[in-house]
């Protein structure tokens, strides 16, 4: 283990679950002042989670925050934002927190729910959607072992942005999503070439409930158990394509197929393109 890791206080939480055996684990360093990029990357690799968040205090309830996977820096990470906000709220009290990310300003409102659990609601940067080139889509499907016939024609493939780019692919059956098995190296190369953070693979159970799986090979992770950034991007996707009627809300179940159930609640406003994503977090140890 590196010297930096042993000298730096690293908190470990799961985002989007009240059960430490569920959700998506994140490392959180609440005071990263003085750490270099190389040291942060090394710490993230030692921690081994999909992301570790590094916080640099800027003022009262205002911070700079950076996210590192075991392989590279990521502009924005939703589950690590939720985990960080809960850790800050436990230390400083609940309320609004301003987090300056590489993707832009993310505001987070922290509170305690009726059951006494800490929760956090992040407000994304403005979302957007663009088309995916047919040849690139074909390569993504080939890497997944899917065909165009597997897709839900009512939810067309698009690249959605909510702080990072995510390719959204919706399948027509729950069974197809559950059976996900993909070519890690082939998909990882395509995603690195296209600068996609995850794939947002979804199945629509109802207008209020979606199931998602998110491959993350560019970060060295086969699958994310909860991806707040992708949830925000997906909310924008649904709004921009007119697939929902805002203001509205829906829920995403993620991580269930990998044994780490995660709950992400998404709110879509009518008058702006920023998406709100809510979840809880709990300590692993």
């Amino acid at each position: 283990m590196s010297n930096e890791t042993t000298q730096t206080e690293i908190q470990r939480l799961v985002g989007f679950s009240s059960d430490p055996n569920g959700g998506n684990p994140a490392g959180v360093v609440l005071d990263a002042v003085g750490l270099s990029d190389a040291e942060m990357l090394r710490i993230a690799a030692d921690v081994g989670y999909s992301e570790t968040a590094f916080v640099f205090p800027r003022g009262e309830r205002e911070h700079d925050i950076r996210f590192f996977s075991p392989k590279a820096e990521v502009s924005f990470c939703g589950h690590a934002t939720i985990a960080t906000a809960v850790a800050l709220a436990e230390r400083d009290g609940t309320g609004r927190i301003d987090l300056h990310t590489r993707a832009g300003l993310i505001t987070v409102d922290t509170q305690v729910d009726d059951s006494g659990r800490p929760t956090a609601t992040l407000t994304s940067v403005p979302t957007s959607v663009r088309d995916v080139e047919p040849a690139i889509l074909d390569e993504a499907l080939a890497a997944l072992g899917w065909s165009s016939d597997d897709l839900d024609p009512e939810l067309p493939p698009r690249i959605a942005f909510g702080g990072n780019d995510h390719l959204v692919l919706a399948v027509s059956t729950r069974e197809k999503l559950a059976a996900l098995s993909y070519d890690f190296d082939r998909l990882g190369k395509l995603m690195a070439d296209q600068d996609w953070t995850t794939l947002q693979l979804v199945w629509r159970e109802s207008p209020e409930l979606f199931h998602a799986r998110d491959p993350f090979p560019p970060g060295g992770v086969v699958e994310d158990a909860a991806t707040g950034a992708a949830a925000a991007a997906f909310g924008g996707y649904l709004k921009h394509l007119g697939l929902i009627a805002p203001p509205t809300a829906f829920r995403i179940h993620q991580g269930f197929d990998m044994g780490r159930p995660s709950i992400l609640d998404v709110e879509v406003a009518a008058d702006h393109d920023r998406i709100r994503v809510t979840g809880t977090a709990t300590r692993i140890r």
Side-chain angles (χ1 to χ4, degrees):
M1 182 172 290
S2 73
N3 191 47
E4 289 81 13
T5 304
T6 59
Q7 293 180 352
T8 302
E9 182 182 358
I10 303 164
Q11 300 184 39
R12 292 168 170 81
L13 302 93
V14 295
F16 296 108
S17 177
S18 59
D19 181 351
N21 295 311
N24 199 358
V28 176
V29 177
L30 290 183
D31 185 0
V33 174
L35 291 177
S36 69
D37 289 10
E39 288 167 340
M40 288 187 283
L41 182 61
R42 191 176 302 118
I43 289 170
D46 285 346
V47 171
Y49 298 152
S50 59
E51 273 96 7
T52 295
F54 297 86
V55 179
F56 300 82
R58 182 187 278 210
E60 186 176 357
R61 306 190 73 83
E62 184 177 12
H63 310 272
D64 291 315
I65 184 169
R66 295 174 68 183
F67 306 98
F68 285 80
S69 79
K71 285 191 172 183
E73 185 170 10
V74 177
S75 296
F76 174 59
C77 172
H79 81 276
T81 295
I82 296 295
T84 299
V86 167
L88 286 169
E90 290 177 347
R91 188 188 71 181
D92 302 332
T94 58
R96 171 173 164 158
I97 303 167
D98 289 338
L99 298 175
H100 297 268
T101 77
R102 290 291 175 96
L105 174 63
I106 303 293
T107 62
V108 188
D109 295 299
T110 58
Q111 55 277 316
V112 176
D113 68 14
D114 293 339
S115 65
R117 294 179 303 185
T119 65
T121 300
L122 68 86
T123 300
S124 76
V125 299
T127 56
S128 61
V129 174
R130 67 181 190 274
D131 291 340
V132 54
E133 295 179 16
I136 294 173
L137 174 59
D138 288 345
E139 177 62 14
L141 291 173
L144 291 168
W146 290 0
S147 75
S148 58
D149 292 338
D150 295 316
L151 302 182
D152 183 342
E154 295 183 0
L155 299 172
R158 292 290 190 276
I159 299 166
F161 175 83
N164 302 314
D165 281 339
H166 307 264
L167 175 63
V168 176
L169 295 175
V171 291
S172 56
T173 68
R174 180 70 180 91
E175 291 74 19
K176 191 67 179 179
L177 188 67
L180 177 66
S181 178
Y182 71 91
D183 186 325
F184 185 90
D185 292 336
R186 185 174 182 177
L187 186 61
K189 181 181 186 306
L190 175 65
M191 292 174 68
D193 289 345
Q194 299 300 315
D195 199 24
W196 298 337
T197 299
T198 70
L199 264 58
Q200 179 78 337
L201 309 178
V202 299
W203 175 70
R204 179 171 59 181
E205 178 174 332
S206 73
E208 295 79 32
L209 179 60
F210 293 82
H211 298 257
R213 302 187 73 173
D214 280 57
F216 185 32
V221 177
V222 173
E223 183 176 356
D224 242 1
T227 317
F234 185 61
Y237 160 94
L238 293 174
K239 179 182 180 181
H240 288 293
L241 294 185
L243 299 170
I244 52 175
T248 190
F250 61 91
R251 174 167 283 185
I252 296 174
H253 283 181
Q254 190 178 339
F256 284 68
D257 292 312
M258 56 186 295
R260 298 198 65 93
S262 306
I263 304 294
L264 300 86
D265 287 310
V266 183
E267 300 170 60
V268 183
D271 57 348
H272 61 79
D273 293 331
R274 296 177 183 269
I275 306 298
R276 288 166 60 84
V277 181
T278 297
T280 189
T282 191
R283 295 185 180 279
I284 296 172
R285 64 172 186 260

